Amino acid sequence: MKGIGIMGGTFDPIHTGHLLTAEFVRDAYGLEKVLFIPAAHSPFKLDKRVASAEDRLAMTELAVAGNPHFEASDIEMCREGVSYTSDTIALLAERFGPEVPLYFITGADAINDLPDWHQPRELLTSCHFIAARRQGTALDMAKLRGFFGSLCDAHIHELATPELEISSTQIRGRIREGRSIRYMVPESVETYIRKEGLYR
């Protein structure tokens, strides 16, 4: 069975780097589709101000609209409490069934911190992790093997992805400074940001 890719994050806002990374992974692993899941209440950003869940979901929907293999999901916004990835993966595994492998797409730096995530062993058992490898950040396989053992080699994979120096933090800063974000986000997302007056 073809697998399902999962790209989670705050998406504040979603940008071209997210989309390009997801497409490279989808193509490389022959995935049926990639779900983009904005976190309602990210455990890593509980003390930070972010755009509303509704705005971030709307921007994500606009960003993925042109790709038939991409889909925005409100799965984390339909439940209360902190948006733990382990809970999301458990729900998706129940939805798609055990015969459909799940692939969580994120950066190598995030995977290096995987032992600190909520229920990390259960999470890694339930899905594969694809590390989008970028210059300057490598997987700490010694640390990961020390924590996860053989599960690490079976469920953590690396894929070289294009180097795009784009971040949501950078985009928000440019908007506050009145500078252009053209080509950093899809045109539809830029239009939404301007219309709603986000990040000013």
Side-chain angles (χ1 to χ4, degrees), residues 84-105:
Y84 290 118
T85 300
S86 56
D87 295 337
T88 301
I89 293 298
L91 288 171
L92 292 174
E94 184 177 335
R95 176 183 300 178
F96 291 108
E99 71 280 2
V100 179
L102 303 176
Y103 295 84
F104 194 90
I105 305 164

Side-chain angles (χ1 to χ4, degrees), residues 1-199:
M1 297 290 293
K2 285 189 174 182
I4 301 294
I6 299 140
M7 181 164 268
T10 310
F11 296 142
D12 192 30
I14 190 168
H15 56 68
T16 306
H18 294 130
L19 301 171
L20 188 57
T21 297
E23 181 63 13
F24 261 67
V25 173
R26 185 202 65 78
D27 180 65
Y29 283 84
L31 303 180
E32 180 72 24
K33 62 182 174 181
V34 177
L35 297 177
F36 288 74
I37 305 176
H41 305 286
S42 170
F44 303 110
K45 298 188 178 181
L46 293 176
D47 59 343
K48 296 182 180 180
R49 181 180 176 184
V50 298
S52 72
E54 292 76 16
D55 281 329
R56 291 183 289 108
L57 177 61
M59 288 187 286
T60 303
E61 290 171 338
L62 290 169
V64 305
N67 189 327
H69 298 289
F70 285 178
E71 180 182 323
S73 170
D74 64 356
I75 188 171
E76 292 194 352
M77 297 180 181
C78 292
R79 67 177 193 267
E80 297 180 353
V82 177
S83 303
Y84 290 118
T85 300
S86 56
D87 295 337
T88 301
I89 293 298
L91 288 171
L92 292 174
E94 184 177 335
R95 176 183 300 178
F96 291 108
E99 71 280 2
V100 179
L102 303 176
Y103 295 84
F104 194 90
I105 305 164
T106 189
D109 52 344
I111 294 179
N112 286 338
D113 292 333
L114 192 56
D116 299 323
W117 289 29
H118 184 64
Q119 298 180 333
R121 288 186 177 84
E122 294 86 343
L123 175 58
L124 191 58
T125 300
S126 301
C127 73
H128 296 262
F129 272 74
I130 308 297
R133 190 172 74 242
R134 301 180 182 89
Q135 187 174 359
T137 304
L139 281 177
D140 188 344
M141 295 304 290
K143 171 186 175 182
L144 293 168
R145 287 191 184 104
F147 188 88
F148 293 109
S150 60
L151 185 63
C152 169
D153 294 293
H155 280 234
I156 295 179
H157 319 278
E158 278 189 286
L159 180 68
T161 55
E163 299 279 343
L164 277 184
E165 294 299 323
I166 300 175
S167 73
S168 297
T169 301
Q170 179 188 35
I171 291 168
R172 295 193 302 271
R174 291 181 68 87
I175 292 170
R176 285 193 298 271
E177 296 166 2
R179 301 173 67 186
S180 172
I181 58 168
R182 193 173 190 180
Y183 306 125
M184 299 178 78
V185 299
E187 184 176 356
S188 57
V189 173
E190 181 179 7
T191 299
Y192 184 93
I193 290 171
R194 304 295 185 196
K195 179 182 176 183
E196 299 300 322
L198 301 180
Y199 311 124

